[in-house]
Amino acid sequence: VSTQSTGPEVKNSKLIELSSSTKCATHFEYSLPAACRACEAWDYKEVKSFCQNDVMTLKKIKINNNCYGDDVKDIKEVACSSSLQLSTTGIGIVVAIAVVVAALLGALIFVYLSNRKMEIEYEKLVSKKDDKEEKEMEDLSP
């Protein structure tokens, strides 16, 4: 079976023989991207480039092939400041370090206060022992 194209060639079009074909009848499906629904805003994801020379490129990239539309659209350049640019990852790292430092500081304060409390109790115990020994010495002396 040969097929002839009578119309203009359409980019990414395919002629597929279907499984419903028999010896007496051949069934074909002609698929082309334009038969899909038009891409909507939710079919794209905005991507930002790094800030270089105080300019950043914003573009929308198609995230799936379930629609018909440009793979990349709405490319624009916007002004940005390349000095002191802190990404979300950078902020996360700073917060994580701050939490660790706070936890260590809290642990040090806890250990210091616990040690101080034990030191006071030990001094009281030693003082009682000294008082008891002194009293025993007085009782033994004539």
Side-chain angles (χ1 to χ4, degrees), residues 84-100:
L84 208 75
Q85 185 180 15
L86 197 58
S87 68
T88 307
T89 306
I91 292 171
I93 291 171
V94 169
V95 168
I97 291 172
V99 167
V100 169

Side-chain angles (χ1 to χ4, degrees), residues 10-139:
V10 179
K11 184 180 174 186
N12 296 330
S13 63
K14 296 177 187 171
L15 184 62
I16 302 168
E17 184 176 350
L18 299 175
S19 61
S20 61
S21 297
T22 64
K23 289 183 180 181
C24 297
T26 306
H27 300 139
F28 291 99
E29 179 181 278
Y30 190 66
S31 65
L32 62 150
C36 297
R37 67 174 176 80
C39 292
E40 300 286 337
W42 59 80
D43 292 311
Y44 292 91
K45 174 181 160 186
E46 186 172 83
V47 177
K48 298 176 184 178
S49 70
F50 290 106
C51 186
Q52 292 180 329
N53 300 327
D54 295 332
V55 176
M56 179 188 318
T57 304
L58 301 175
K59 59 185 170 183
K60 294 182 181 176
I61 298 176
K62 189 164 50 167
I63 55 176
N64 60 45
N65 288 322
N66 298 338
C67 62
Y68 180 70
D70 296 331
D71 289 340
V72 179
K73 70 176 197 171
D74 296 342
I75 300 172
K76 50 185 159 172
E77 291 184 346
V78 294
C80 63
S81 175
S82 55
S83 63
L84 208 75
Q85 185 180 15
L86 197 58
S87 68
T88 307
T89 306
I91 292 171
I93 291 171
V94 169
V95 168
I97 291 172
V99 167
V100 169
V101 168
L104 288 174
L105 188 60
L108 285 173
I109 290 171
F110 174 77
V111 168
Y112 173 77
L113 293 176
S114 297
N115 188 26
R116 183 72 182 130
K117 184 178 175 183
M118 287 184 352
E119 185 179 343
I120 290 170
E121 290 175 9
Y122 179 74
E123 286 176 2
K124 286 180 184 177
L125 182 64
V126 168
S127 174
K128 285 181 183 179
K129 183 179 178 187
D130 288 344
D131 289 345
K132 188 176 181 183
E133 286 178 358
E134 195 174 292
K135 193 171 187 177
E136 287 178 0
M137 292 294 275
E138 285 178 4
D139 290 343

